[in-house]
Amino acid sequence: MKIAVCVSQVPDTTTKVKIGADGKTIDPSGVTYIINPYDELAVEAALQLKEKQGGETIVLTAGRDSSKEVIKKSYAMGIEKGILIKSDIEMDSYAVARNLADVLKEINPDIIFFGKQSIDYDDSQVGLLVAEMLGLPSINVVVSLNIEGSKVTAEREIEGGKEVVEATLPAVICAQRGLNSPRYPNLKGIMQAKSKPIEERQPSYTENKIEILNMTLPKAKSKGKIVGTDVAAVGELVKLLREEAKVI
Amino acid sequence: MSKVLVFVDSRDNKIKNSGFEAASKAVNIASELGCETEALLIGSGVSSIAGSLGAYGIKKALVADDPKLEKYSTTAYSKILADACRSAGADVIILSATSMGKDISPRVSAKLEAGLAADCTEIRTEGGNIYAKRPVYAGKAFIEVKINSAVKIFSLRPNVFKPVTIDGVTTAAENVSVELTDADFSSQVKEIVVSNEKLDVTEANIVVSGGRGLKGPENFHLVEELAKVLGGSAGASRAIVDAGWRPHSEQVGQTGKTVSPSLYIAVGISGAIQHLAGMSSSKCIVAINKDKDAPIFQVADYGIVGDALEIVPALTEEFKKVLSN
Ligand SMILES: Cc1cc2nc3c(=O)[nH]c(=O)nc-3n(C[C@H](O)[C@H](O)[C@H](O)COP(=O)(O)OP(=O)(O)OC[C@H]3O[C@@H](n4cnc5c(N)ncnc54)[C@H](O)[C@@H]3O)c2cc1C
Ligand SMILES: Nc1ncnc2c1ncn2[C@@H]1O[C@H](COP(=O)(O)O)[C@@H](O)[C@H]1O
């Protein structure tokens, strides 16, 4: 079985966003970059499937040279092969998906794992764009997964419940928290990842459909008021919520 | 622009509030651009609910009404939407960024080679162009974007655009013929498991969330009772989701759900940056925490310093009292 997984590199969740000199993107100075948290779930799902059914695993990322770090992280967890589609220009989700789809077409995997969302642009698009570009079924926001032969049954999260969805391989699966607990790489894995080669590709498509005009920070809130302490403050809080904030 | 098509998502032949929000915003955008709006409903029996869109100014609703469409299928639904866009000659598609909208919109984007601005919180028109603002980094920043493709797709964050009613409009429903083969159902919902009858945190107008300050899972009912009295939903911090007190479907934050209710009450939550990312756009924030220096007070509009286990039941009682008058 050929198992592919697509991962992206994002700022650490503790990042305090500062706007960069271009006024459109964040200032990268002092930012720590990590593998997108949902993509760790995707890597784990790929590894579990390989351990169960056998096969080869391959990780893909589109990004700058520094994105090699997320391939190394995937290697350290146990992925065998990695491809970086190297681009110095910022690509939108559509362009990223086109590039991934072009390489994936060649690889022709039986299953492709994605995270449900990158926590930088929060687009929630790339996995499904790739599925459509390759003419594959997809199951998005997956919290449990079962694969028997070529039949996939998954539970996906929706508002107030779950949908049980069926599809047939080859298919795209986009991981949501709850699907599994990503393993920690062991020392041996980390050491091996350092020297494992990474294949580099040129982007096949670089046209963006989304143009970012500016980036702004949310309006700073004026500091609120401490209504009081302990149960004694409850009456006053309720009054303020009704009469001042008018939300009740 | 020549026409705006709005996909109105429905389940069990009920249009969600987010569907009306999308319809109403579509009508508003179309009127600013001086063009027509058409709505699209997909399902089995949806013809009967098209009429309710009139109240929001929809004059014409396309309905793809077929027993085969009773259960959601990402492949079939997105094909119908893309086909409807082509045959209607629409160049703007509006839909809500619900679980269904988020699942359909990228596929339609690929089919129509159309840019998709996802989860928008503001949309404005100027000189015949559409500009959208959307949160990035889980709401720590916003970007304003313009779409440079012939067809443009915008998904709207639920609960942000308030639907505006328009008097005197009736909706004419028109069937669209759907030609679907088995291949169009390559992924198909078999069953829906409703985890609870409660409203999802992303849909609720009031959210009461609990954190580790509740001390143990046995005290979470305090949060649920307060949420219930207020007609809202209960949410959770990641700390108590990881601890197994609550399911992750209730988690609010950067790796949980992003909510923007009118009122968010954080109970025993410290206010870590990842939690704030998911709720700081709430209109009014209340914090209850025994530590007066907890970071949650930095974003709260109102706060009470003290023991949540005592304050929350008292708050529930007080609301019961005032709301029954
Ligand atoms: C990659 C990553 C992603 C993350 N994503 C999320 C996310 O999506 N959502 C999220 O919430 N977190 C997320 N976190 C975790 C986040 O950093 C915090 O650890 C978490 O939010 C803390 O939860 P808490 O406020 O319930 O617990 P704590 O930080 O332990 O806070 C408990 C609070 O309760 C107060 N307290 C204690 N006793 C009482 C009492 N009797 N009455 C009143 N108050 C009391 C304390 O003063 C304290 O402020 C993420 C972390 C990482 C690394
Ligand atoms: N640059 C990228 N390279 C590889 N995979 C990506 C990239 N960006 C996004 N993805 C994948 O697509 C998912 C959804 O991302 P997004 O649509 O950007 O929210 C992520 O969780 C990744 O699995």
Side-chain angles (χ1 to χ4, degrees), chain A residues 11-17 19 24-26 37-38 94 98 116-117 119-126 128-129 131-133 135-141 143 155-168 172 176-179 205 207-219 221-231 233-235 237-238 240-242 244-245 247-248, chain B residues 11 16 72 74-75 98-100 102-103 106-107 109-111 113-118 131 133-149 186-196 198 200 202-203 206 230 238 241-242 248-249 251 254-257 262-263 273-274 282-286 297-307 310-311 314-315 318-319 322-323:
Chain A
D12 176 26
T13 56
T14 56
T15 305
K16 291 215 166 64
V17 170
I19 295 171
K24 297 178 185 181
T25 53
I26 68 164
Y38 295 108
Y94 191 95
R98 273 287 291 266
K116 68 143 193 170
Q117 176 177 7
I119 62 159
D120 48 5
Y121 286 98
D122 293 326
D123 256 349
S124 302
Q125 297 188 23
V126 171
L128 300 165
L129 282 165
E132 183 63 36
M133 288 165 180
L136 299 179
S138 56
I139 314 178
N140 192 14
V141 202
V143 292
E155 282 185 341
R156 85 178 204 100
E157 211 174 80
I158 59 166
E159 294 87 358
K162 286 172 192 162
E163 284 175 343
V164 181
V165 187
E166 277 179 13
T168 307
V172 162
Q176 159 71 324
R177 246 169 67 78
L179 178 60
Y205 183 94
E207 184 197 318
N208 281 346
K209 296 189 184 299
I210 301 286
E211 182 182 337
I212 300 177
L213 303 171
N214 60 62
M215 181 180 276
T216 48
L217 297 178
K219 280 184 217 87
K221 271 197 118 145
S222 54
K223 203 164 158 13
K225 56 176 139 184
I226 300 286
V227 179
T229 50
D230 302 327
V231 173
V234 162
L237 174 65
V238 171
L240 286 166
L241 289 175
R242 285 165 65 84
E244 190 177 88
V247 286
I248 302 280
Chain B
R11 277 187 202 271
K16 293 188 166 195
Y72 172 65
T74 168
T75 37
T98 52
S99 61
M100 195 186 282
K102 279 183 178 168
D103 201 43
R107 282 195 174 264
S109 158
K111 280 178 196 290
E113 297 183 26
L116 161 60
Y131 298 90
K133 204 167 171 184
R134 52 180 305 269
V136 291
Y137 302 96
K140 290 178 201 166
F142 289 85
I143 51 175
E144 187 170 44
V145 301
K146 187 164 138 281
I147 304 179
N148 295 324
S149 53
S186 64
S187 62
Q188 171 72 45
V189 171
K190 291 292 160 187
E191 184 190 347
I192 294 184
V193 189
V194 180
S195 60
N196 47 42
K198 289 178 296 187
D200 192 72
T202 57
E203 296 181 307
I206 294 179
L230 297 173
R238 173 155 168 183
V241 171
D242 283 353
H248 66 89
S249 57
Q251 183 185 317
Q254 186 152 15
T255 54
K257 290 186 172 159
S262 326
L263 174 62
I273 188 164
Q274 296 98 343
S282 305
K283 273 134 248 162
C284 177
I285 298 170
V286 171
F297 287 122
Q298 300 290 323
V299 299
D301 298 280
Y302 303 104
I304 299 185
V305 178
D307 186 353
E310 290 172 15
I311 295 166
L315 199 52
E318 183 70 15
F319 275 125
V322 298
L323 292 174

Side-chain angles (χ1 to χ4, degrees), chain A residues 12-14 34 37-38 40 119 177, chain B residues 210-215 236-240 242 245 251-257 264 267-278 288-296 304-311:
Chain A
D12 176 26
T13 56
T14 56
I34 57 166
Y38 295 108
E40 271 187 288
I119 62 159
R177 246 169 67 78
Chain B
R212 197 141 51 188
L214 286 169
K215 301 295 184 216
S237 74
R238 173 155 168 183
I240 71 168
D242 283 353
W245 303 2
Q251 183 185 317
V252 172
Q254 186 152 15
T255 54
K257 290 186 172 159
Y264 187 88
V267 178
I269 292 179
S270 58
I273 188 164
Q274 296 98 343
H275 189 80
L276 301 184
I288 299 168
N289 198 301
K290 71 168 189 196
D291 172 10
K292 67 173 179 21
D293 297 320
I296 191 76
I304 299 185
V305 178
D307 186 353
L309 301 182
E310 290 172 15
I311 295 166

Side-chain angles (χ1 to χ4, degrees), chain B residues 3-320:
Chain B
K3 196 182 275 179
V4 177
L5 178 65
V6 53
F7 169 69
V8 177
D9 96 25
S10 60
R11 277 187 202 271
D12 300 328
N13 286 333
K14 268 199 224 73
I15 297 176
K16 293 188 166 195
N17 204 36
S18 52
F20 293 124
E21 290 168 10
S24 178
K25 189 64 196 172
V27 167
N28 164 256
I29 293 168
S31 82
E32 286 184 19
L33 294 171
C35 66
E36 292 298 306
T37 321
E38 289 179 19
L40 172 67
L41 285 159
I42 305 177
S44 173
V46 282
S47 306
S48 63
I49 55 173
S52 59
L53 294 170
Y56 302 96
I58 297 285
K59 296 191 186 109
K60 181 171 167 187
L62 308 170
V63 289
D65 195 340
D66 192 308
K68 276 195 284 196
L69 297 168
E70 185 192 339
K71 292 210 176 82
Y72 172 65
S73 158
T74 168
T75 37
Y77 275 45
S78 51
K79 181 175 182 207
I80 294 168
L81 175 53
D83 285 351
C85 178
R86 283 193 201 101
S87 52
D91 46 14
V92 178
I93 297 179
I94 303 285
L95 72 178
S96 183
T98 52
S99 61
M100 195 186 282
K102 279 183 178 168
D103 201 43
I104 295 175
S105 47
R107 282 195 174 264
V108 175
S109 158
K111 280 178 196 290
L112 301 174
E113 297 183 26
L116 161 60
D119 216 19
C120 303
T121 52
E122 260 179 65
I123 294 190
R124 64 182 180 90
T125 62
E126 194 186 302
N129 290 316
I130 305 177
Y131 298 90
K133 204 167 171 184
R134 52 180 305 269
V136 291
Y137 302 96
K140 290 178 201 166
F142 289 85
I143 51 175
E144 187 170 44
V145 301
K146 187 164 138 281
I147 304 179
N148 295 324
S149 53
V151 178
K152 306 169 192 350
I153 309 175
F154 301 88
S155 70
L156 313 184
R157 171 167 293 189
N159 233 340
V160 171
F161 297 86
K162 293 288 161 249
V164 179
T165 51
I166 293 177
D167 286 339
V169 178
T170 50
T171 311
E174 181 182 298
N175 276 298
V176 292
S177 60
V178 287
E179 277 165 46
L180 296 164
T181 64
D182 283 351
D184 295 318
F185 292 92
S186 64
S187 62
Q188 171 72 45
V189 171
K190 291 292 160 187
E191 184 190 347
I192 294 184
V193 189
V194 180
S195 60
N196 47 42
E197 295 298 328
K198 289 178 296 187
L199 211 56
D200 192 72
V201 281
T202 57
E203 296 181 307
N205 198 31
I206 294 179
V207 175
V208 186
S209 289
R212 197 141 51 188
L214 286 169
K215 301 295 184 216
E218 68 282 3
N219 294 325
F220 196 77
H221 70 99
L222 299 175
V223 162
E224 285 177 310
E225 281 155 18
L226 177 55
K228 188 158 169 241
V229 166
L230 297 173
S233 284
S237 74
R238 173 155 168 183
I240 71 168
V241 171
D242 283 353
W245 303 2
R246 302 305 304 166
H248 66 89
S249 57
E250 290 178 4
Q251 183 185 317
V252 172
Q254 186 152 15
T255 54
K257 290 186 172 159
T258 308
V259 299
S260 41
S262 326
L263 174 62
Y264 187 88
I265 306 182
V267 178
I269 292 179
S270 58
I273 188 164
Q274 296 98 343
H275 189 80
L276 301 184
M279 46 62 77
S280 55
S281 64
S282 305
K283 273 134 248 162
C284 177
I285 298 170
V286 171
I288 299 168
N289 198 301
K290 71 168 189 196
D291 172 10
K292 67 173 179 21
D293 297 320
I296 191 76
F297 287 122
Q298 300 290 323
V299 299
D301 298 280
Y302 303 104
I304 299 185
V305 178
D307 186 353
L309 301 182
E310 290 172 15
I311 295 166
V312 176
L315 199 52
T316 305
E317 282 313 309
E318 183 70 15
F319 275 125
K320 259 192 206 153

Side-chain angles (χ1 to χ4, degrees), chain A residues 6-8 36 39 61-62 96 100 114-115 117-118 123-126:
Chain A
C6 295
V7 303
S8 67
N36 183 36
D39 301 351
T61 190
V96 166
L100 293 171
F114 290 85
Q117 176 177 7
S118 323
D123 256 349
S124 302
Q125 297 188 23
V126 171

